[in-house]
Amino acid sequence: MTCFRITAATIAVLAGTAVPLVPGHAHHSFAMFDQTKITTVTGTVKEFNWVNPHVSLWVYAAAKEGETPELWTIELTSPGNLTRVGWTRHSISPGDKIAVEIAPLRDGTHGGAFRQATLTDTGQVLTANFKDQEKPGLQ
């Protein structure tokens, strides 16, 4: 009977320590983006995907005549974070002309981490920088 209690207690402790590791392991780091560089992708929005855990933006980069536009994938923060700084699921729409500043992917593929966007038809600037959006005196 004593062996069973020790085994059950051991299993409970091990299970309890393993569970908190799962969420941390499921999320990725931003090491894949080169935060020391800024690239501007100018083009037309293909898709704006407003879902957790990260909003995604696909932009066809403007191409020279006769060339095929390159599709760039841009990762933003969560919809909740974007909502806090004034965004909605309609802030960007397919077909919008846009200039997006990103931290590019280190491997050189067409993608990056969002920094700022300008809707070129209206001049509206969208940012996900919480510090820039804070009200004076907010702690």
Side-chain angles (χ1 to χ4, degrees), residues 38 66 87:
I38 296 176
W87 289 57

Side-chain angles (χ1 to χ4, degrees), residues 100-113:
V100 187
E101 292 180 12
I102 62 169
L105 286 166
R106 290 183 188 276
D107 68 4
T109 55
H110 296 135

